[in-house]
Amino acid sequence: MSETTTSMNTDFLTRLGVQGTSLGACWGEWVETSEGRELVSVSPTDESEIGRVKMASKDDYGHVMTKAREAFETWRMVPAPQRGEVVRLLAHEFRRHKEDLGALIAWEMGKIRSEGEGEVQEIIDIADFAVGLSRQLYGLTMHSERPGHRMYEQWHPLGVVGVITAFNFPGAVWAWNAMIAAVCGDVILWKPSSKTPLTAVAIQNICNRVMKEAGCPGVFNLVIGAGREVGETLINDRRIPLVSATGSCHMGRRIGEIVAKRLGRSLLELGGNNAIIVTEDADLDMALSGIVFGAVGTAGQRCTSTRRIFLHRSIAASFTDRLKKAYASISIGNPLDDSVLMGPLVDEGAVKDYEDALETIRTQGGEILYGGKRVEGPGFFVEPTLVKADPDMPITKDETFAPILYIFEFDDVDEAIRMQNDVDQGLSSAIFTRDLLAAETFLSHRGSDCGIANVNIGTSGAEIGGAFGGEKDTGGGREAGSDSWKIYMRRQTCTINWTKEVQLAQGVEFDVS
Ligand code: UN1
């Protein structure tokens, strides 16, 4: 493991305004909280305190909500391209702070600097996308069956959109929702993960400056508080027509149920159990780099992380050897050190989940081919791990948020696809092949059942231009690009009669005279 630089330069904390103690509730102005409880943000790299946040209470939530609703009254009447112009200014600010924010994400969450900056790039990309979208919130026009009638549909803003995000993408997933919702005319109420509160404060600081200048505070709102308090209040709040949530299947099931009960909309982006199939004719260099980045990148803590690989039997042994060598070359350590490829897990609980999973793997007959241990010393470091597994091992059906990769063998592609699909989750999937028939089978109706299906690209690292999300227990939601914007708006079908008499559809006669 590379040494943690204790004398590390943390000036980025000052530049982002997150040094010391921050407040946890904001509607454009920070709210002096009515409660005194503090959340301590700890770096997973050396377990040092980075800063503190005064947690928002239910009252603070209420205050922010009132301000957000007031802001919606104004924001919804701003023409969409002008809303896009404000988002363009935001994108500019995120560009200016890319390095600092990337460093903070790395330091608070544990992903390496390059991935931290990549996450900020994702924020910038979705903001740019939203700017263009602000002139493309198109509705269809239809031909009416009645003479002298015109039909069309238009899209109106929804209101206050609740956004609940996870620690692993503490900025980008907020941005997927917030940038799109903002050009749609909504206002956003964000509850970030309690594991990454300072990234949220830093982002809110950036939004505050831009929105103040633009004269529209209250569009981007933040409540950092206990899940049981502000999280529960948010999902139960009938004033929030859409709750977008990222997290575990367990969490999503609960949110989906509560929001459905009040007939609200939910957009769920939940667990994955993503697999890569490697056929016998695949370019194995490409497969190797796709798999290693997918399984080890972000220390296996992406919802798109590669958790299972299916190797054609003829290449399985030699390819597994190559994987072992690649794993042995991974430098683990301080994510801000440029030579490091894998940082720590997010906290002690994540290490325990990793260790528990390994225990279960052993009892279920899995063979650990590489890794399998915690790295001693301060911080929450573990070894990236390779496991020779059998599809009947129940643990391979679960998502463990850690760098554990299960290796399976197959004889024909149909069998590999069947095994790949034989899990409850359905987020991301990939095949490495040069065989057109295998690639097209994988992409066909009887191919991958996931929301994302890639050929000669790994499971993680999707671009924002496509709709992002998955099927089955992954929750069915779609965020980011393509036409995902539609969930942030309400559709209205309008029929205009420009004749001088009322005509009924379907030829119904109802003469009252
Ligand atoms: C997530 O892990 O919740 O496709 C999001 C990817 C990233 C986003 C992951 N663009 O891996």
Side-chain angles (χ1 to χ4, degrees):
M1 202 175 102
S2 82
E3 293 225 334
T4 301
T5 26
T6 36
S7 58
M8 207 186 61
N9 183 344
T10 50
D11 288 354
F12 58 86
L13 299 177
T14 316
R15 288 194 293 271
L16 293 168
V18 295
Q19 72 287 17
T21 303
S22 306
L23 295 171
C26 187
W27 55 271
E29 283 178 26
W30 293 98
V31 178
E32 190 58 59
T33 177
S34 56
E35 244 182 58
R37 278 189 304 159
E38 284 185 349
L39 187 62
V40 179
S41 173
V42 170
S43 169
T45 299
D46 64 1
E47 301 181 46
S48 65
E49 177 176 325
I50 312 175
R52 288 173 181 244
V53 176
K54 284 192 184 173
M55 285 161 90
S57 65
K58 262 193 197 166
D59 283 352
D60 302 328
Y61 171 94
H63 181 65
V64 172
M65 182 51 139
T66 306
K67 290 291 189 184
R69 277 160 61 86
E70 274 171 34
F72 177 61
E73 300 293 318
T74 316
W75 186 242
R76 66 178 169 182
M77 297 313 292
V78 175
Q82 286 182 31
R83 297 193 293 251
E85 171 59 14
V86 176
V87 170
R88 191 183 66 77
L89 297 172
L90 267 177
H92 180 68
E93 280 303 291
F94 282 113
R95 277 187 171 86
R96 284 198 334 113
H97 291 90
K98 180 173 168 180
E99 220 174 287
D100 284 343
L101 199 50
L104 173 60
I105 290 172
W107 193 233
E108 186 173 45
M109 179 275 162
K111 64 177 70 174
I112 59 171
R113 188 197 291 273
S114 171
E115 289 188 73
E117 288 185 12
E119 174 157 2
V120 183
Q121 188 58 47
E122 207 163 322
I123 298 177
I124 295 163
D125 292 342
I126 195 70
D128 286 354
F129 179 94
V131 176
L133 180 68
S134 70
R135 291 183 187 268
Q136 299 175 77
L137 300 168
Y138 300 135
L140 296 170
T141 64
M142 299 89 183
H143 288 260
S144 168
E145 67 192 50
R146 287 167 282 189
H149 284 59
R150 183 165 72 83
M151 267 172 85
Y152 75 105
E153 59 186 24
Q154 57 177 351
W155 296 84
H156 293 299
L158 260 190
V160 183
V161 172
V163 178
I164 297 173
T165 56
F167 76 87
N168 63 335
F169 273 81
V173 175
W174 163 81
W176 293 349
N177 288 279
M179 298 298 101
I180 302 289
V183 296
C184 289
D186 299 324
V187 302
I188 294 93
L189 182 54
W190 182 20
K191 187 209 168 294
S193 163
S194 299
K195 295 175 187 178
T196 48
L198 298 181
T199 301
V201 171
I203 287 175
Q204 185 69 31
N205 279 334
I206 291 172
C207 291
N208 285 352
R209 280 199 298 275
V210 172
M211 300 313 282
K212 191 170 180 193
E213 184 95 341
C216 32
V219 175
F220 301 104
N221 306 282
L222 178 68
V223 278
I224 300 173
R228 246 178 269 141
E229 228 173 303
V230 295
E232 288 292 314
T233 310
L234 188 157
I235 58 182
N236 280 288
D237 194 337
R238 288 180 61 85
R239 296 169 296 181
I240 297 190
L242 169 66
V243 176
S244 172
T246 303
S248 66
C249 295
H250 175 78
M251 178 209 85
R253 211 167 265 126
R254 180 171 165 72
I255 293 178
E257 201 178 300
I258 291 172
V259 175
K261 211 172 250 170
R262 62 175 174 84
L263 300 179
R265 266 185 221 176
S266 53
L267 193 176
L268 300 175
E269 205 259 277
L270 311 175
N273 194 348
N274 318 296
I276 295 181
I277 297 170
V278 185
T279 63
E280 59 190 318
D281 67 342
D283 180 326
L284 296 180
D285 294 339
M286 284 172 71
L288 190 77
S289 67
I291 290 169
V292 178
F293 175 67
V296 174
T298 332
Q301 298 171 105
R302 291 189 186 214
C303 55
T304 51
S305 288
T306 308
R307 313 223 172 269
R308 299 175 296 145
I309 54 171
F310 296 93
L311 305 177
H312 190 270
R313 205 172 301 279
S314 64
I315 52 137
S318 57
F319 190 76
T320 302
D321 277 346
R322 289 190 66 185
L323 267 175
K324 281 196 235 171
K325 283 199 193 87
Y327 268 51
S329 75
I330 301 281
S331 49
I332 305 169
N334 183 345
L336 290 175
D337 176 343
D338 287 338
S339 66
V340 162
L341 285 184
M342 194 180 114
L345 292 180
V346 70
D347 60 11
E348 189 60 44
V351 176
K352 184 167 187 322
D353 289 347
Y354 167 87
E355 288 178 325
D356 288 353
L358 283 158
E359 189 59 41
T360 310
I361 288 165
R362 286 189 193 96
T363 55
Q364 292 181 359
E367 187 190 342
I368 293 158
L369 302 176
Y370 185 88
K373 290 189 302 296
R374 178 184 195 142
V375 178
E376 291 310 325
F380 308 118
F381 294 92
V382 299
E383 293 172 343
T385 300
L386 293 170
V387 178
K388 189 168 165 42
D390 185 280
D392 292 336
M393 285 168 54
I395 187 143
T396 66
K397 313 271 179 188
D398 296 337
E399 178 190 50
T400 303
F401 231 52
I404 301 174
L405 182 65
Y406 300 112
I407 304 174
F408 306 91
E409 294 182 15
F410 71 92
D411 292 302
D412 73 83
V413 169
D414 286 314
E415 179 197 4
I417 293 173
R418 219 174 16 255
M419 290 194 290
Q420 182 220 269
N421 289 344
D422 189 23
V423 290
D424 291 334
Q425 311 85 347
L427 180 55
S428 187
S429 60
I431 189 167
F432 279 84
T433 187
R434 284 185 287 204
D435 175 353
L436 179 73
L437 271 60
E440 290 292 336
T441 305
F442 179 75
L443 298 174
S444 75
H445 296 330
R446 67 183 167 90
S448 165
D449 63 2
C450 294
I452 298 171
N454 296 334
V455 176
N456 294 331
I457 296 180
T459 57
S460 63
E463 301 174 19
I464 58 90
F468 183 95
E471 302 302 330
K472 303 192 290 185
D473 286 6
T474 302
R478 290 297 187 277
E479 293 169 304
S482 185
D483 65 352
S484 306
W485 62 270
K486 289 181 176 171
I487 197 162
Y488 303 92
M489 303 198 82
R490 63 184 168 86
R491 183 196 309 242
Q492 189 168 64
T493 303
C494 308
T495 309
I496 300 153
N497 174 6
W498 53 278
T499 71
K500 289 186 175 152
E501 54 178 350
V502 169
Q503 303 164 57
L504 299 177
Q506 295 90 41
V508 173
E509 287 187 15
F510 196 85
D511 200 352
V512 284
S513 57

